[in-house]
Amino acid sequence: MPTLRSSNQGNAGPLSTALARAVIAVCRDALHWRDDLRAIFLAAGVSRSHYERYDRPELSKAKIARALLDDLGEVGAAGYGVQRKVVEELCQMNRPHADAPDQHAGKEALAELKREATAERILVNPEQAAAEARKAAEKRRLQAIAERRLVVGELRDEFIALVQMQQGQSTQGRGYDLEKLLVRLFKVHDLDYRPPYRMAREQIDGSFHFRGFTYLVEARWRSAQPDLGDLLDFKGKVDGKLDSTRGVFISMAGFDPDVLDHFVRNSRGSRNNIIMFTGRDVSQLFEGSIGLVDALTKKVDAAEQEGVALREL
């Protein structure tokens, strides 16, 4: 089966409409994480600043790919070469990402891309392709790790500075700053996070999706621990949504064990659907000592399997 050759060999023109359409279909149906799309285009030669013009939550992977291919087509020969490198990078995939929602569509998209790429004489030499695929995958993996560490390091420094200046800052101001840091923390861990928003009579500090559920967030940076009324008010916000909604209550001051125990015991028989993060938990996330996905998994597993609302990291 033909595979890859270097993008600087022949075929100096732009991608055909059919091949460009096949590239977009693979980005939509065979990829899962937005970071994978980013790594492919950066490895192909798209600059980070150019890619970030389109790296916005409201743009899907397919729309980002379409916009970038269009831009590259307007550059001329240099852009055509990068387009072909994108094709090569995508054709190194043997199957859709394991978490791609429609595996059949992903397989069809990859097969169509390889057919079109073969017709345009971009694919050759399976042995060389296999070696290049392993090398490229490792490069993307290391690049993603390095970028994540860099961003987490920046967030850690900002979080430490925020902790150090909290004496002269209002509790409301600290809460707003924490909410902004959380948006960026979720993004670097590939979790879409909706920033704070207000409804008719409710203020929601943020929300995100994880393992099939929507989680509403209450983020508090106050000197006092939340009382029972605070916890019940937040639970009311969560319970007022669909059954697939849960809550994350973040209290930088921690929780009173007696209040928390009373809250959990009185929630039984209704929806026991809130997990808790303390200031110590949050510090570990910004320090990078545990990843956000691992932290959420640990807390959600404890709540689902043991009925524990607060499992410290």
Side-chain angles (χ1 to χ4, degrees), residues 17-293:
T17 300
L19 185 51
R21 187 163 51 241
V23 167
I24 293 166
V26 169
C27 294
R28 181 191 64 226
D29 297 328
L31 299 180
H32 180 63
W33 301 115
R34 293 170 69 96
D35 268 3
D36 288 343
L37 180 71
R38 174 190 179 93
I40 285 168
F41 274 90
L42 294 187
V46 174
S47 70
R48 181 175 284 101
S49 60
H50 192 166
Y51 186 90
E52 288 177 351
R53 295 180 195 173
Y54 303 105
D55 190 16
R56 305 194 301 270
E58 67 270 19
L59 293 183
S60 66
K61 295 188 294 293
K63 289 182 178 180
I64 293 173
R66 182 180 295 110
L68 289 169
L69 290 178
D70 289 345
D71 287 355
L72 292 169
E74 295 176 1
V75 174
Y80 304 156
V82 176
Q83 285 181 335
R84 279 169 166 68
K85 187 63 178 173
V86 171
V87 174
E88 293 175 3
E89 292 283 332
L90 290 172
C91 284
Q92 290 167 6
M93 298 177 63
N94 294 321
R95 61 183 64 87
H97 189 282
D99 291 326
D102 190 334
Q103 291 290 307
H104 177 73
K107 290 176 183 177
E108 288 294 315
L110 282 170
E112 178 64 17
L113 175 64
K114 291 176 182 180
R115 283 193 293 268
E116 292 295 338
T118 300
E120 293 198 24
R121 305 178 62 82
I122 295 176
L123 302 185
V124 294
N125 189 355
E127 292 79 12
Q128 178 187 355
E132 290 180 354
R134 290 191 295 270
K135 183 178 179 181
E138 180 65 8
K139 180 180 178 181
R140 289 197 298 271
R141 187 183 73 84
L142 294 175
Q143 182 179 13
I145 290 173
E147 289 184 353
R148 179 168 294 172
R149 284 177 177 171
L150 179 63
V151 176
V152 171
E154 294 172 352
L155 292 174
R156 179 193 62 235
D157 293 342
E158 293 182 38
F159 178 73
I160 291 173
L162 188 58
V163 171
Q164 292 173 342
M165 68 180 289
Q166 66 174 292
Q167 295 298 330
Q169 192 179 27
S170 69
T171 56
Q172 186 177 43
R174 290 204 307 265
Y176 287 153
D177 289 335
L178 177 61
E179 290 165 5
K180 294 175 184 177
L181 289 178
L182 288 173
V183 172
R184 294 162 58 196
L185 180 69
F186 273 74
K187 181 178 180 180
V188 76
H189 286 281
D190 302 316
L191 291 173
D192 289 332
Y193 189 92
R194 182 180 180 182
Y197 59 97
R198 180 177 292 278
M199 297 182 296
R201 286 174 291 278
E202 287 184 348
Q203 168 68 33
I204 306 296
D205 293 342
S207 67
F208 62 93
H209 299 281
F210 184 69
R211 285 182 11 183
F213 288 86
T214 296
Y215 286 81
L216 304 185
V217 177
E218 178 82 6
R220 294 196 175 191
W221 198 331
R222 303 178 182 178
S223 55
Q225 296 174 331
D227 59 26
L228 182 60
D230 296 326
L231 297 177
L232 291 174
D233 284 347
F234 180 56
K235 181 170 171 56
K237 294 180 183 180
V238 175
D239 289 351
K241 312 302 184 293
L242 290 176
D243 286 349
S244 58
T245 306
R246 294 175 172 177
V248 172
F249 199 117
I250 301 172
S251 171
M252 296 298 290
F255 298 88
D256 182 310
D258 293 333
V259 170
L260 191 57
D261 180 66
H262 183 75
F263 171 72
V264 172
R265 283 189 290 105
N266 281 274
S267 294
R268 300 199 186 282
S270 62
R271 294 173 59 201
N272 207 11
N273 52 3
I274 311 293
I275 61 174
M276 314 292 180
F277 278 77
T278 65
R280 181 176 179 276
D281 293 331
V282 173
S283 295
Q284 291 186 71
L285 291 174
F286 285 113
E287 288 166 2
S289 57
I290 185 171
L292 178 59
V293 172

